[in-house]
Amino acid sequence: MQRSRRGAAASAHPGDVGAATEAATAAAVTAARGTAAATLPRAPSAAAQPAGPVWEKVLWRRQPYPDNYTDPTFLQALVVNADVPRRAFARVALGSAAVTQQLSAVAAALAVAAHLRLGAVSAGSVLALSAGMLLFGYAICCFVGGHVLGGSLRRGLRQVTLLTGGVYLLAPMLRTLTKTVSEDSVVAMTAGLLVLHLYLHDYNFVNSVTDKPTGAVSLSAAVFSSVLIASCMPSEMDVFAHVLFCLQLYLLSPFMRRYVRAASLGAHAGLTAAMAAAAAALLAPLSPALACVFGGLVLFVSLACPWWLVHIHKFKAKINGPWDEAVPQVPTHLMEAGGGGGGGGQ
Amino acid sequence: MAAAGAGAAPASPPPALRHRILMVSDFFFPNFGGVENHIYQLAQCLLAAGHKVVVMTHAYGDCTGVRYLTNGLKVYYIPRRPIYAQSTMPTLAGAMRLLRVLLVRERVTLVHAHQAFSALGIEALVHARTMGYKAVFTDHSLFGFADASSIATNKLLKAALADANAVICVSHTSRENTVLRACLPPARVSVIPNAVDASDFEPARDESEVAKLAAGLGIPSPQEWAQQVETAAAEAKGGASLSSRGDGDAAAVAPRRSSRLRRRVAGGSVQEGEEEHAGGPANGAGPTGRGGSGDADGSGDARPGPPLTVVALSRLVYRKGVDLLALVIPEVCARHANVRFVIGGDGPKRRLLEEVVRRAGLEGRVSLLGAVPHERARDVLLQGQVFVNASLTEAFCMAIVEAASAGLLVVSTRVGGVPEVLPPDMLLLCEPSAEGLLAALEEALALAAAGRDPRAQHERVRAMYDWNDVAARTLRVYDAAMSDPRPDGLLPRLRRCVHAGPWAGPLWCCVLVLLHWWWRLLEWWTPAEGIERAPDWPRPPGSLSQTRLA
């Protein structure tokens, strides 16, 4: 403990002062953990305040205080959680619906592939389901979202024809593409790709936070996984049906889901429940245990995780103070002219 | 512990405890910056006070091995490669063997590490504590709490500083920051500001000296600038009556051209201020139509006021607020025909300034000097009456103290420790925004136009900051560190460090135990007795107690 001339009187019990300041720091940190604006450690000042001029937070004037003097104003400018919004459970849970939907889409795609492979459903019924889904989704986009996919009806039709024809012609090749790869590797790679897809997927698009679907890597991973599984199919027709079904789920369904959500949050919740139920129903004949696991996962994502996030919010301590780097408002064209970019300096 | 006592036996205990200090940091000359200068100046003052100082840093290119600087300041440039921004690769025990030899060889009693960015410094701090040496740490910069690198650095700092004997910060804001980041008891953290060698920043003796320095920098001297302002004003007046285009001097053209840019750049509030100003009593001409009304706008007043120069001197990087400066410069030039800018420094944002100057046609009024070596900083400062610092974060701004010492009026953004550094009559503070900086700059220009006394200001700054004072205060911290009652044993140290966090604490304790074993192994492998002691730099006889040569 160092003391200057006038502060010497207060340093009679340096141990006590040290203990007091330890406690004060603990208090400061606790305060920082809390949600209210900062409370201040006041203990040390009472112990070390010599009679004399009022302490000022300046360096240019010599003050009759020791260099390690702690004033009552210490950390007064500390602000905790100034601009952190309170999260409401309902909002967070609704936000998680997009994740549940994507999870259901992946489960459904896998389940349909398994059914096709086992021969439990025919390629024709999957194709009929796909056609129905396409019409339904197209109608939703058209009438609810006011967005004619493909630009116009004619162009949309042409695109669908081209895509369908393309997949049909490619089906023989797709079926033999990974014939030389062992089935274990295909399954492992598919699982890895689908996890990557779920991790990188642009959930903000469905929630109308972003205007264009981003996440090309995520989409590629999903399409690649469906192509991989195609080699496990018994016939070319099955490959064709499976790939078309996957493309619809991964490529087109986000548009439809986005418009449903924008139109009505209730419909959004209903669609989510329907998708989850459909996926579970597809999984159940394969393995009831798998369906249960999927149901548990859906509950975990849509209820437990939001509750968890809201619950741990009280531990959030966003600390701001005069030491923060200022963020000036600079017009973007100037930043471009600079070339160096925004965060150029380190 | 054993090694600490081995070499550090002073021949005769002098009245004040004589320290043998090892300063460790990744940042030292030939690199240049605030930390480097701080270490050097502090070391020189400590040497003059009769203490021994050795510096350890990593090798800088050809600068390797052991070198002696002024007054026998010994520098070890150890063979480690910097990986990012001159900071070395953080290793666990990489530097310990060398550090131990160095500590024994130089009979060091206290280790002083500098700067939280410096992996070498933090490492040396931990190793020194492992080997039972007292350790002091100086933090020179501010950190946030939110981004990933800050979180990692803060965690490490918390673990490392839990065991440091004393911590020094360069400003009160920096101290608050460090106390929060490292969860230290505030009483163990002292505030010792940087200082400025005031004799390096004397105001100009007379006008001819300034003119000579200006010639050295390759920019017009203040006298030439005054003439330019005169001719520009005359041309503008003459040009208005002849309705000729004022294509002669850039100064006359600038206000008109830049007003176009201004409308695009500045917000509504700035334009209002501009109109108010144009109609104010400071301008003789009264409100004139801007932009479209031809030659009479902008500098159309009869007397443009005394010629003034605004100086900015910093690295041209985002954190120094160059973007703000780029917004403000055309606007100030447009409003005040008598003001020019001299900007020193280099960096990625230099292109931005060049672009803004070119677009506003201010080539004759804004001089971009490029990198300015520190010993020529005074040459640049003396050209101006107002110094502007637009930094976005600053623990202690050395540049504004240097400018104030040279007699300039300082305008700065209110960030970090800046408000603590200078009294309000030398320093005009503003919010870190273009509008705020502009308003403060205009106020400063008005004050500078009224005339100030650089010599008196210099004397005041000289009394405020002094490296000898910094050294004396640092010595008090050293004394406190040396008499730190907390035990240096492994178990008490583990008890302190385990509080670093539920995961980090035990993990860090494992590291400490490993380092302890590594140190014991080194003790057995190369015993301290076998390490040669280096002779101390001989002192002039009679000045201080002669140290015996080993």
Side-chain angles (χ1 to χ4, degrees), chain A residues 56-62, chain B residues 400-401 404-405 408-412 417-429 447 452 456-465:
Chain A
E56 279 181 88
K57 195 179 173 181
V58 293
L59 299 166
W60 52 271
R61 183 191 291 150
R62 303 285 153 79
Chain B
I400 65 172
V401 181
S405 174
L408 278 72
L409 182 61
V410 178
V411 174
S412 176
V418 167
E420 306 167 25
V421 170
L422 287 172
D425 61 315
M426 297 182 195
L427 174 67
L428 299 181
L429 289 169
L447 285 172
R452 306 176 75 252
Q457 179 168 313
H458 171 75
E459 293 304 329
R460 284 174 61 206
V461 175
R462 183 183 278 270
M464 281 172 204
Y465 296 106

Side-chain angles (χ1 to χ4, degrees), chain B residues 153-192:
Chain B
T153 318
N154 292 349
K155 209 71 187 164
L156 187 70
L157 201 69
K158 187 174 170 183
L161 292 194
D163 198 27
N165 299 97
V167 178
I168 300 173
C169 290
V170 292
S171 66
H172 295 293
T173 303
S174 163
R175 180 181 182 225
E176 293 181 344
N177 187 237
T178 304
V179 163
L180 275 179
R181 280 160 55 208
C183 294
L184 288 168
R188 205 174 307 135
V189 186
S190 303
V191 176
I192 301 178

Side-chain angles (χ1 to χ4, degrees), chain B residues 208-263:
Chain B
S208 64
E209 190 195 357
V210 180
K212 218 165 73 190
L213 294 175
L217 293 168
I219 57 172
S221 69
Q223 293 80 27
E224 286 162 342
W225 169 238
Q227 280 171 6
Q228 276 186 28
V229 173
E230 284 289 324
T231 29
E235 251 175 51
K237 231 168 32 175
S241 57
L242 293 167
S243 9
S244 69
R245 297 175 305 105
D247 56 352
D249 196 354
V253 182
R256 198 173 59 245
R257 275 219 249 166
S258 64
S259 61
R260 246 176 293 142
L261 180 78
R262 178 175 69 237
R263 264 196 301 281

Side-chain angles (χ1 to χ4, degrees), chain A residues 219-243:
Chain A
L219 184 63
S220 312
V223 172
F224 186 38
S225 74
S226 62
V227 168
L228 277 179
I229 309 182
S231 62
C232 307
M233 297 293 143
S235 74
E236 271 89 38
M237 208 53 196
D238 292 328
V239 171
F240 174 57
H242 167 69
V243 172

Side-chain angles (χ1 to χ4, degrees), chain A:
Chain A
M1 299 270 145
Q2 49 153 346
R3 302 283 146 191
S4 76
R5 304 120 307 208
R6 289 228 240 152
S11 66
H13 307 289
D16 295 353
V17 178
T21 46
E22 296 274 351
T25 317
V29 173
T30 321
R33 293 270 152 74
T35 47
T39 52
L40 307 167
R42 289 183 186 279
S45 57
Q49 182 137 32
V54 180
W55 182 86
E56 279 181 88
K57 195 179 173 181
V58 293
L59 299 166
W60 52 271
R61 183 191 291 150
R62 303 285 153 79
Q63 304 188 64
Y65 291 89
D67 286 331
N68 62 347
Y69 168 72
T70 308
D71 196 70
T73 58
F74 187 69
L75 286 181
Q76 204 161 47
L78 171 74
V79 180
V80 182
N81 293 343
D83 49 356
V84 176
R86 293 292 302 171
R87 291 182 195 281
F89 176 77
R91 272 184 65 88
V92 181
L94 211 58
S96 77
V99 183
T100 309
Q101 287 182 352
Q102 202 62 32
L103 214 58
S104 306
V106 169
L110 287 177
V112 164
H115 282 299
L116 280 171
R117 180 179 160 79
L118 295 173
V121 294
S122 67
S125 52
V126 173
L127 281 174
L129 178 68
S130 293
M133 270 168 54
L134 183 67
L135 283 177
F136 177 69
Y138 197 87
I140 294 272
C141 286
C142 223
F143 298 119
V144 178
H147 177 196
V148 181
L149 289 181
S152 68
L153 194 61
R154 250 188 71 194
R155 287 189 53 189
L157 263 176
R158 203 178 65 188
Q159 280 181 4
V160 167
T161 318
L162 280 176
L163 191 72
T164 317
V167 173
Y168 185 77
L169 291 176
L170 281 176
M173 192 201 79
L174 292 178
R175 197 169 83 86
T176 50
L177 191 64
T178 51
K179 266 282 184 288
T180 50
V181 181
S182 89
E183 201 148 291
D184 292 354
S185 310
V186 167
V187 170
M189 276 171 75
T190 306
L193 284 167
L194 286 176
V195 167
L196 186 74
H197 163 74
L198 285 172
Y199 180 71
L200 295 177
H201 183 70
D202 180 18
Y203 299 100
N204 281 333
F205 177 68
V206 172
N207 283 340
S208 297
V209 180
T210 48
D211 285 335
K212 279 205 165 87
T214 53
V217 177
S218 158
L219 184 63
S220 312
V223 172
F224 186 38
S225 74
S226 62
V227 168
L228 277 179
I229 309 182
S231 62
C232 307
M233 297 293 143
S235 74
E236 271 89 38
M237 208 53 196
D238 292 328
V239 171
F240 174 57
H242 167 69
V243 172
L244 268 191
F245 185 68
C246 285
L247 281 178
Q248 269 192 25
L249 280 182
Y250 296 136
L251 189 65
L252 296 178
S253 82
F255 288 94
M256 186 269 280
R257 292 186 267 143
R258 176 188 167 93
Y259 293 126
V260 168
R261 187 189 184 278
S264 148
L265 287 178
H268 178 58
L271 179 67
T272 310
M275 283 181 72
L282 282 169
L283 283 172
L286 294 169
S287 151
L290 204 61
C292 285
V293 168
F294 173 72
L297 198 62
V298 166
L299 287 180
F300 178 70
V301 166
S302 55
L303 294 176
C305 283
W307 176 83
W308 195 9
L309 183 65
V310 171
H311 179 70
I312 60 172
H313 191 271
K314 64 166 170 277
F315 298 110
K316 187 165 178 84
K318 186 163 183 269
I319 303 173
N320 292 102
W323 47 79
D324 287 329
E325 188 174 309
V327 186
Q329 292 295 316
V330 177
T332 43
H333 72 266
L334 264 183
M335 306 289 275
E336 285 154 19
Q346 249 305 321

Side-chain angles (χ1 to χ4, degrees), chain B residues 50 86 94 119 138 153 165 183 285 335 364 377 384 416 429 436 455 458 473 485 487 500 505 533 549:
Chain B
Q86 287 303 342
T138 297
T153 318
N165 299 97
C183 294
R335 291 190 195 183
L429 289 169
R455 181 55 60 178
H458 171 75
R473 290 161 79 173
R533 305 295 191 271
L549 299 181

